[in-house]
């Protein structure tokens, strides 16, 4: 059974640009969550999608957005990139009927220069 | 962003000894708690979980203890091995079904 797949693994962008990250959850998982991980702030919750609807949202500015498709794949977008957006962006999926923790992907390392 | 803590504690243990990693959580209404292990270059990996109606749960070489009175969670690793070296995060589910992570503890195993 394939795990959570995130693409790309590494990305370098310039300030002011926008970026789109992709996440394919485990087959059958309908819940996808996104986290930002930085050395100074730890793991911060961005948002969660379930059946194409945003179910929860963290305290991030509107430059951070996401969506989920009918096949449960999810994308997150960051517009007008800032240096402080450099981080590891992690996607996690959760299975149906289980109140359990998430299965994480390996993340996308975004560097803003 | 929603974050907990800015400082990453570190713990060094001798190979073969037991490790205890502690975590203080903030949400008294949480009913579900999880421990994750994150190795360098990888995403967090589920280790063990516990519901709020329990105070102890055991897995393979790991035990999680929950003290709801003081909002404290601990992870015990028996006979620590070099492969246990990683950053360990506790996490808890909020009333809105979000999973919030603690600041993490870096475990270093000395051969």
């Amino acid at each position: 059974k394939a795990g959570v797949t995130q693409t790309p693994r590494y990305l370098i962008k310039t300030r002011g640009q926008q970026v789109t990250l992709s996440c394919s959850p485990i087959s059958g998982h309908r819940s996808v969550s996104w986290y930002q991980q930085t050395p100074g702030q730890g793991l911060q919750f961005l948002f969660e999608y379930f059946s194409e609807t945003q179910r929860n949202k963290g305290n991030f500015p509107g430059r951070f957005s996401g969506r989920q498709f009918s096949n449960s794949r999810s994308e997150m977008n960051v517009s007008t990139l800032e240096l402080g957006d450099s981080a590891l962006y992690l996607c996690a999926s959760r299975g149906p009927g289980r109140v359990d923790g998430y299965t994480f992907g390996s993340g996308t390392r975004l560097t803003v220069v | 962003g929603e974050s907990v803590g800015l400082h990453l504690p570190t713990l060094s243990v001798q190979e073969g000894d037991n490790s205890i990693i502690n975590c203080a959580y903030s949400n008294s209404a949480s009913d579900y708690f999880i421990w994750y292990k994150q190795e360098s270059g990888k995403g967090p990996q589920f280790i063990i979980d516990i519901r709020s109606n329990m105070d102890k749960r055991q897995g393979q070489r790991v035990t999680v203890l929950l003290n709801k009175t003081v909002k404290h969670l601990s992870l015990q690793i028996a006979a620590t091995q070099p492969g246990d070296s990683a950053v360990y995060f506790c996490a808890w589910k909020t009333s809105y079904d979000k999973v919030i992570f603690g600041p993490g503890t870096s475990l270093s195993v000395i051969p």
Side-chain angles (χ1 to χ4, degrees):
Chain A
K1 192 174 184 181
V4 177
T5 304
Q6 290 189 247
T7 57
R9 283 282 278 136
Y10 302 94
L11 205 49
I12 299 176
K13 288 286 188 178
T14 305
R15 270 182 303 174
Q17 287 186 312
Q18 75 164 18
V19 67
T20 299
L21 312 182
S22 179
C23 171
S24 293
I26 290 173
S27 178
H29 286 193
R30 293 161 64 189
S31 167
V32 173
S33 294
W34 289 88
Y35 288 83
Q36 182 196 64
Q37 185 174 29
T38 59
Q41 295 293 322
L43 274 153
Q44 297 186 86
F45 175 79
L46 279 156
F47 24 67
E48 180 185 13
Y49 286 87
F50 181 83
S51 294
E52 302 179 66
T53 300
Q54 188 179 84
R55 187 159 69 174
N56 275 307
K57 191 177 188 304
N59 299 325
F60 277 81
R63 300 186 296 108
F64 292 81
S65 62
R67 60 177 175 168
Q68 187 180 33
F69 302 94
S70 58
N71 62 356
S72 294
R73 190 178 70 85
S74 178
E75 289 181 347
M76 70 161 280
N77 184 277
V78 188
S79 63
T80 320
L81 283 165
E82 301 176 359
L83 295 179
D85 297 333
S86 295
L88 180 67
Y89 290 87
L90 290 159
C91 165
S93 72
R94 184 165 63 177
R98 292 189 62 197
V99 182
D100 64 350
Y102 298 111
T103 300
F104 281 86
S106 295
T108 293
R109 171 73 63 185
L110 172 65
T111 302
V112 182
V113 297
Chain B
E2 203 170 337
S3 65
V4 179
L6 303 175
H7 175 66
L8 188 67
T10 58
L11 175 67
S12 294
V13 299
Q14 205 71 38
E15 181 179 357
D17 286 353
N18 297 334
S19 303
I20 300 177
I21 301 170
N22 296 303
C23 170
Y25 63 92
S26 57
N27 191 324
S28 58
S30 294
D31 61 358
Y32 180 68
F33 305 86
I34 316 127
W35 278 100
Y36 285 92
K37 171 186 179 183
Q38 187 175 25
E39 296 173 284
S40 181
K42 298 182 180 179
Q45 178 186 9
F46 174 91
I47 301 173
I48 191 168
D49 58 1
I50 187 169
R51 291 183 178 277
S52 58
N53 61 352
M54 304 171 67
D55 53 23
K56 180 179 180 179
R57 190 169 186 218
Q58 287 184 293
Q60 188 176 18
R61 278 202 311 119
V62 295
T63 301
V64 56
L65 299 177
L66 174 63
N67 185 330
K68 294 180 290 295
T69 304
V70 295
K71 292 188 286 187
H72 184 267
L73 200 62
S74 70
L75 176 71
Q76 299 177 2
I77 304 173
T80 313
Q81 303 167 1
D84 295 327
S85 293
V87 177
Y88 289 80
F89 293 94
C90 70
W92 55 93
K93 204 159 68 70
T94 71
S95 53
Y96 295 102
D97 214 32
K98 289 190 294 189
V99 175
I100 304 301
F101 284 78
T105 296
S106 177
L107 175 65
S108 178
V109 181
I110 305 164

